[in-house]
């Protein structure tokens, strides 16, 4: 394929640099072929694909190709592959999914994006929460119950903590005593009779139950276990007792509101989120 | 060094005279390759020709191996969709891919070591490019005749005879290309089914692409590009230089003995009678008498050629022979085992060989990974215990289902939660699941306490696998 003359035979252009002559050889044939092939390809490309900028966007091209169409086709293909699993998940109850490890893994992958969008902002990317502000989903303490149904309910309708502010109703000294008492309870101590009397007299048992083990229907936590929703130091406990949770008109009250997702997420998505939360380590 | 010259007998018998005339008759045809003409190398017998046929025949195993069966399965199968590599009884998973890298290191080092000692042995005798080219030119010679006839045919007019010969030749070349392609594809799928699929036009798209690429590739590389591949395309041809040293033996021309070259009757000549037969037989078209050069693939065919001439002119063989630079210059080579390169290459070869043997013999039936949760590292539970979360990834690499039991060994009482007493490991499948450990933080001596998971299979005999991890508690 060579059309090159040897240096000694080829005429030159008269240009010479340090003994190197510029020859008048034509460009190599393979190069010329590639060059014209590229030109031809440009024409073909202009006809087939959008390439000429016009006033209302580029020409359409014979193939009608656009990147957004290609993207949508890819998404449709992906959805099609996923469809059998997704519809299988829809037909399964939360309990059934929890028993099927493969479907559970699929459900957990499926809810990655939903969890990230709707839950992770407060509860953390792996459900670790934020100490004192947003509860962790990994432990076995559930303010409103840790069964799959209770979790589903919490996500669907939201939750709002309620605890009255006791400052003014109970003396500061008694609030201090109560704080010492419940901290002692959480560390495994039994507490004296006078402590228990103060506990009952102040009305704590109305929600936290007479044995201080809490009442999930009211969202009242167990005071005898090691977990503290708003911090376990005496200062924090005193603040909670004095200013309450979501107490109206109290400046220093604790905020504890979980929004309702009914209407924002489909029933199926809520079910799968509940499954995810349940399987994070503390489901009951 | 002039002793040799005195031995040359410039008086030849009439019989020898005729032979010599014949040798020189061809002379005009042979010149050094400049890339602008197709090389039609002369083919002749000899020791290295035989060696080349023998090493080329090893490639037959490439064509036959896909049809071997082992335990009812294809003996050698790269099963890409299932991520498995079957080699007779052995199944290699992606997890064992470090073995592959060791094998590649082993092969590379053998290549380097051999090149350091004896030059481009691979190029000359084993390389698919040179072997296939050799077969292609052999076919060409069978159909179109010897180099002189071929050149005449190429330059001659396009007549019936030429068309017939070219058609047969190119069909045979294409056929070899097709066989090469089908064979390659057969390593990746059931070989027998593949033939059926090809013939019924039902083969997978990738099988057609492989077939197309290999057919075209073989046809053009071995049929048209030939030695140009070695000269301009092959990267290995270029890195040879750094592997050679003065002790590397290569086909070389003994210039001390051969020069000054001259015609047989020239009384002042050295041993070389300048018949250019060494150029004639060279598949890359070089002149070995110009010394070491990049075009030489060390196939040794010039040694055969020169020896045959030396025999005819009654001179000792070996004017062109395997020799090192040191030898040619009259120095002695270091003993083989005292050369640093040989020692280094051999040690790496040995180390990777031992590694491969170790890997193959200890390849386990289960591939097990336990991942400790990163965020958070631990969770405090309502009863004051600390809980750590682990993801178990257990791959059962065997073909049958296994049952297993997992327990935990640590410095204190650690409860294992979320795992059934007997877990089922499905055949050739990995389904990750979460497992929790709970312990009293007061009982854990360190913030990160080392623990060991122990997995015991309920097989006969039972197999035990351990996996070291940590359990984390808050700082005190």
């Amino acid at each position: 394929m060579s059309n090159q003359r040897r240096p000694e035979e080829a005429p030159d252009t008269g240009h010479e640099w340090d003994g190197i002559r510029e020859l008048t050889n034509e460009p190599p044939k393979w190069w010329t072929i590639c060059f014209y092939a590229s030109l031809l390809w440009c024409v073909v490309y202009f006809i087939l694909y959008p390439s000429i900028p016009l006033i209302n966007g580029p020409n359409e091209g014979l193939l009608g190709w656009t990147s957004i169409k290609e993207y949508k086709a890819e998404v449709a293909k992906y959805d099609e592959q996923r469809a059998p699993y997704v519809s299988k998940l829809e037909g399964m109850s939360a309990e059934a999914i929890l028993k099927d490890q493969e479907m559970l893994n699929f459900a957990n992958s499926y809810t990655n994006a939903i969890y990230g969008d709707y839950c992770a902002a407060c509860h953390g990317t792996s459900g670790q929460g934020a100490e004192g502000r947003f509860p962790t989903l990994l432990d076995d303490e559930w303010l409103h119950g840790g069964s799959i149904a209770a979790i589903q309910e919490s996500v669907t309708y939201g939750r709002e903590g309620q605890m009255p502010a006791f400052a003014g109703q109970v003396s500061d000294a008694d609030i201090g005593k109560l704080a010492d008492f419940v901290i002692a309870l959480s560390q495994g101590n039994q507490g004296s009779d006078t402590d228990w009397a103060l506990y009952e007299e102040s009305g704590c048992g109305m929600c936290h139950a007479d044995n201080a083990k809490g009442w999930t229907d009211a969202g009242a936590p167990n005071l005898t276990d090691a977990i503290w929703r708003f911090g376990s130091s005496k200062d924090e406990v005193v603040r909670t007792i004095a200013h309450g949770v979501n107490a109206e008109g109290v400046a220093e009250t604790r905020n504890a509101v979980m929004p309702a997702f009914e209407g924002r997420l489909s029933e199926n998505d809520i079910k799968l989120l509940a499954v995810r939360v349940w399987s994070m380590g503390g489901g009951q | 060094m002039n002793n040799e010259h005195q031995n040359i007998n410039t008086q030849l018998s009439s019989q020898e005279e005729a032979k010599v005339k014949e040798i020189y008759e061809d002379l005009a045809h042979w010149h050094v390759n400049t890339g602008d003409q197709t090389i039609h190398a002369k083919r002749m017998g000899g020791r290295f020709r035989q060696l080349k046929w023998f090493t080329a025949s090893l490639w037959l195993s490439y064509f036959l191996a896909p049809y071997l069966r082992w335990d009812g399965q294809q003996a050698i199968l790269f099963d890409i969709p299932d991520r498995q590599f079957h080699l007779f009884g052995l199944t290699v998973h992606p997890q064992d891919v470090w073995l592959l890298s060791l094998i590649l290191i082993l092969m590379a080092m053998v290549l380097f070591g051999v090149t350091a000692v004896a030059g481009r042995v691979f190029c000359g005798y084993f390389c698919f490019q040179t072997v296939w080219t050799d077969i292609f030119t052999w076919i060409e010679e069978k159909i179109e005749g010897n180099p002189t006839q071929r050149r005449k045919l190429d330059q001659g007019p396009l007549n019936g005879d030429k068309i017939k010969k070219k058609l047969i030749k190119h069909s045979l070349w294409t056929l070899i290309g097709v066989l090469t392609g089908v064979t390659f594809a057969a390593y990746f799928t059931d070989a027998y089914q593949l033939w059926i699929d090809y013939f019924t036009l039902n083969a997978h798209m990738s099988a057609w692409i492989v077939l197309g690429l290999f057919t075209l590739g073989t046809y053009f590389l071995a049929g048209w590009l030939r030695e140009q591949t070695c000269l301009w395309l092959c990267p290995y041809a270029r890195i040879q230089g750094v592997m050679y040293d003065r002790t590397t033996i290569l086909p070389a021309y003994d210039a001390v003995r051969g020069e000054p070259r001259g015609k047989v009757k020239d009384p002042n000549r050295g041993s070389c009678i300048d018949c250019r037969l060494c150029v004639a037989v060279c598949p890359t078209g070089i002149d070995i008498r110009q010394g070491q050069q990049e075009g030489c693939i060390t196939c040794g065919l010039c040694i055969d050629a020169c020896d045959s001439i030396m025999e005819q002119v009654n001179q000792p063989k070996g004017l062109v022979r395997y020799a090192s630079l040191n030898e040619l210059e009259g120095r002695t080579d270091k003993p083989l085992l005292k050369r640093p390169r040989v020692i280094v290459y051999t040690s790496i070869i040995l180390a990777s060989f031992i590694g491969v043997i170790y890997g193959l013999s200890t390849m386990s039936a289960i591939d097990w990974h336990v991942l400790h949760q990163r965020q958070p590292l631990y969770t405090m539970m309502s009863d004051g215990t600390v809980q750590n979360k682990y993801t178990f990834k257990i791959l059962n690499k065997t073909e049958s289902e296994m049952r297993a039991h997992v327990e935990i060994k640590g410095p204190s009482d650690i409860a294992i939660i979320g795992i059934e007493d007997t877990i089922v490991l499905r055949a050739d499948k990995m389904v990750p699941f979460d497992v929790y450990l709970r312990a009293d933080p007061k009982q854990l001596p360190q913030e990160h306490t080392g623990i060991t998971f122990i997995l015991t299979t309920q097989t006969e005999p039972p197999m035990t696998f351990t996996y070291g991890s940590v359990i984390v508690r808050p700082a005190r």
Side-chain angles (χ1 to χ4, degrees):
Chain A
M1 240 169 64
S2 174
N3 57 349
Q4 304 289 302
R5 278 164 297 182
R6 292 165 182 287
E8 54 270 21
E9 295 159 7
D12 59 42
T13 58
H15 300 158
E16 183 182 329
W17 297 271
D18 294 340
I20 300 172
R21 294 182 305 132
E22 186 184 20
L23 305 181
T24 55
N25 272 334
E26 282 170 28
K29 226 185 265 174
W30 67 265
W31 187 90
T32 319
I33 292 171
C34 291
F35 178 71
Y36 285 113
S38 311
L39 274 184
L40 189 68
W41 169 242
C42 282
V43 176
V44 173
Y45 187 93
F46 267 56
I47 296 169
L48 294 182
Y49 290 94
S51 44
I52 307 162
L54 304 171
I55 294 170
N56 299 322
N59 66 318
E60 250 186 39
L62 273 186
L63 293 184
W65 178 92
T66 67
S67 50
I68 193 73
K69 271 188 207 164
E70 186 175 308
Y71 165 74
K72 282 180 178 158
E74 288 285 314
V75 171
K77 209 168 104 189
Y78 173 68
D79 282 344
E80 197 188 331
Q81 281 178 357
R82 248 173 29 148
Y85 294 95
V86 174
S87 64
K88 191 177 170 192
L89 273 186
E90 271 173 33
M92 287 171 88
S93 71
E95 288 81 2
I97 297 170
L98 284 169
K99 280 193 190 108
D100 184 337
Q101 186 65 45
E102 266 176 272
M103 290 313 284
L104 176 62
N105 288 346
F106 179 74
N108 281 341
S109 307
Y110 178 85
T111 51
N112 267 342
I114 315 174
Y115 180 87
D117 286 351
Y118 294 98
C119 315
C122 297
H123 292 293
T125 46
S126 16
Q128 73 271 32
E131 205 181 336
R133 297 172 58 75
F134 304 109
T136 169
L137 304 174
L138 305 174
D139 64 17
D140 58 346
E141 163 87 346
W142 296 92
L143 297 174
H144 302 278
S147 70
I148 189 81
I151 297 171
Q152 239 169 314
E153 193 184 313
S154 299
V155 181
T156 311
Y157 302 112
R159 298 288 187 186
E160 200 171 328
Q162 277 176 359
M163 173 161 169
F166 286 89
Q169 298 178 38
V170 178
S171 72
D172 286 355
D174 282 351
I175 288 177
K177 276 185 202 163
L178 278 171
D180 284 334
F181 168 60
V182 291
I183 290 170
L185 280 183
S186 75
Q187 289 165 350
N189 298 320
Q190 294 306 312
S192 66
D193 288 348
T194 46
D195 287 335
W196 280 108
L198 179 64
Y199 174 85
E200 202 174 333
E201 189 185 314
S202 308
C204 307
M206 305 272 281
C207 296
H208 291 289
D210 290 343
N211 57 6
K213 294 226 187 258
W215 185 26
T216 51
D217 285 354
N222 183 347
L223 301 175
T224 63
D225 69 18
I227 292 181
W228 289 91
R229 170 72 177 81
F230 298 108
S232 59
S233 71
K234 189 175 173 187
D235 285 352
E236 296 289 353
V237 178
V238 165
R239 180 185 155 188
T240 309
I241 300 173
H243 304 292
V245 179
N246 293 330
E248 247 177 81
V250 181
E252 283 184 72
T253 193
R254 304 279 188 186
N255 287 310
V257 179
M258 154 116 180
F261 287 92
E262 191 184 26
R264 296 169 70 188
L265 291 174
S266 73
E267 206 174 312
N268 186 53
D269 284 351
I270 290 175
K271 174 182 80 186
L272 297 180
L273 277 176
V275 163
R276 184 189 180 95
V277 170
W278 192 96
S279 64
M280 275 177 169
Q284 287 162 350
Chain B
M1 70 184 193
N2 285 324
N3 297 348
E4 294 254 10
H5 288 195
Q6 289 156 11
N7 294 338
I8 295 169
N9 179 11
T10 51
Q11 301 300 311
L12 299 169
S13 69
S14 60
Q15 202 186 355
E16 283 168 335
E17 196 81 59
K19 268 191 212 161
V20 168
K21 194 168 169 255
E22 194 188 313
I23 292 170
Y24 282 122
E25 252 169 18
D26 259 1
L27 185 69
H29 297 299
W30 314 120
H31 50 81
V32 174
N33 173 27
T34 49
D36 49 4
Q37 272 188 351
T38 310
I39 295 175
H40 290 296
K42 191 180 171 76
R43 294 179 87 89
M44 52 190 294
R47 281 183 300 150
F48 287 97
R49 180 65 258 177
Q50 280 174 351
L51 179 62
K52 203 167 161 69
W53 277 126
F54 169 72
T55 54
S57 70
L58 297 178
W59 275 101
L60 281 176
S61 59
Y62 163 77
F63 288 98
L64 300 176
Y67 307 101
L68 293 179
R69 297 268 140 177
W70 189 271
D71 279 348
Q73 260 192 336
Q74 189 159 325
I76 304 173
L77 179 66
F78 295 87
D79 188 347
I80 291 177
D82 289 331
R83 311 280 191 279
Q84 285 177 356
F85 170 36
H86 298 280
L87 187 64
F88 297 94
L90 193 73
T91 302
V92 183
H93 288 75
Q95 288 80 4
D96 303 311
V97 82
W98 61 273
L99 262 180
L100 180 69
S101 37
L102 269 189
I103 290 171
L104 289 178
I105 290 174
L106 181 72
M107 281 157 59
M109 284 303 140
V110 169
L111 196 68
F112 294 177
V114 168
T115 306
V117 173
R120 289 162 68 180
V121 173
F122 175 73
C123 296
Y125 306 102
F126 295 98
C127 174
F128 31 84
Q129 173 64 28
T130 59
V131 168
W132 261 246
T133 303
D134 195 40
I135 303 295
F136 273 43
T137 50
W138 177 74
I139 291 174
E140 191 170 67
E141 174 143 316
K142 288 284 164 229
I143 295 167
E144 297 180 359
N146 65 36
T148 318
Q149 292 166 322
R150 274 184 266 166
R151 249 181 240 112
K152 216 175 266 169
L153 186 72
D154 284 352
Q155 284 156 7
L158 192 68
N159 53 26
D161 181 51
K162 184 170 178 174
I163 292 176
K164 192 186 92 189
K165 280 180 173 168
K166 293 281 173 195
L167 203 64
I168 296 175
K169 180 182 82 173
H170 288 287
S171 312
L172 283 174
W173 282 2
T174 312
L175 183 69
I176 292 180
V178 169
L179 280 176
T180 309
V182 173
T183 306
F184 187 81
Y187 282 93
F188 296 89
T189 180
D190 187 279
Y192 295 96
Q193 185 61 40
L194 182 70
W195 279 102
I196 297 171
D197 288 348
Y198 275 134
F199 276 114
T200 55
L201 304 180
N202 283 326
H204 193 268
M205 180 55 97
S206 51
W208 286 113
I209 293 174
V210 166
L211 179 59
L213 286 177
F214 270 76
T215 307
L216 286 176
T218 309
Y219 175 78
F220 278 110
L221 285 168
W224 291 92
L225 277 176
R226 298 187 182 174
E227 83 291 341
Q228 298 296 322
T229 311
C230 310
L231 291 167
W232 309 116
L233 285 179
C234 178
Y236 176 62
R238 285 292 168 279
I239 47 173
Q240 60 164 323
V242 292
M243 290 174 217
Y244 285 2
D245 60 16
R246 307 191 63 86
T247 60
T248 307
I249 54 162
L250 303 164
Y253 167 65
D254 190 344
V256 175
R257 193 187 132 192
E259 296 296 313
R261 62 189 81 156
K263 295 285 182 265
V264 175
K265 290 186 176 167
D266 183 347
N268 296 321
R269 68 172 170 89
S271 287
C272 176
I273 63 162
D274 203 16
C275 63
R276 293 210 212 158
L277 195 62
C278 52
V279 181
V281 296
C282 180
T284 65
I286 60 162
D287 186 346
I288 193 68
R289 295 172 301 172
Q290 289 168 354
Q292 277 190 16
Q293 51 199 296
E294 61 186 9
C296 178
I297 58 169
T298 78
C299 61
L301 295 181
C302 51
I303 301 180
D304 283 346
C306 193
D307 282 352
S308 77
I309 294 296
M310 290 295 110
E311 206 169 346
Q312 290 182 49
V313 297
N314 291 326
Q315 284 176 36
K317 290 178 182 182
L319 177 59
V320 178
R321 63 175 186 275
Y322 261 103
S324 70
L325 266 185
N326 277 345
E327 186 190 332
L328 291 173
E329 291 173 4
R331 275 174 272 192
T332 43
D333 288 332
K334 251 191 189 177
L336 191 66
L337 292 176
K338 285 193 178 165
R339 298 179 201 163
R341 282 162 183 246
V342 174
I343 295 170
V344 171
Y345 286 136
T346 314
S347 347
I348 303 177
I349 290 170
L350 272 180
S352 42
F353 184 70
I354 292 168
V356 171
I357 296 297
Y358 171 81
L360 288 180
S361 55
T362 57
M363 202 187 283
S364 69
I366 279 177
D367 195 65
W368 187 22
H369 291 280
V370 178
L371 311 173
H372 187 278
Q373 191 180 27
R374 297 269 166 199
Q375 165 80 331
L377 288 170
Y378 59 85
T379 301
M380 296 308 298
M381 302 307 271
S382 59
D383 58 359
T385 54
V386 65
Q387 175 167 292
N388 282 214
K389 182 176 181 176
Y390 304 82
T391 303
F392 274 36
K393 294 188 171 182
I394 309 176
L395 171 66
N396 174 359
K397 293 197 276 189
T398 67
E399 304 296 318
S400 52
E401 191 172 283
M402 254 193 244
R403 283 162 193 283
H405 171 72
V406 177
E407 56 191 83
I408 177 77
K409 206 176 106 196
S412 63
D413 274 353
I414 297 172
I416 184 162
I417 294 165
I419 186 167
E420 277 153 46
D421 197 45
T422 300
I423 52 171
V424 177
L425 307 174
R426 285 159 58 188
D428 205 15
K429 180 126 188 152
M430 196 269 286
V431 181
F433 59 93
D434 294 332
V435 169
Y436 306 91
L437 291 187
R438 256 183 228 178
D440 182 353
K442 294 186 205 75
Q443 302 291 322
L444 295 174
Q446 286 121 22
E447 226 177 298
H448 291 70
T449 304
I451 50 160
T452 310
F453 289 100
I454 302 164
L455 183 144
T456 314
T457 59
Q458 296 169 359
T459 49
E460 208 44 64
M463 293 177 282
T464 302
F465 304 89
T466 58
Y467 200 96
S469 186
V470 289
I471 183 165
V472 185
R473 65 158 169 77
R476 279 178 192 142

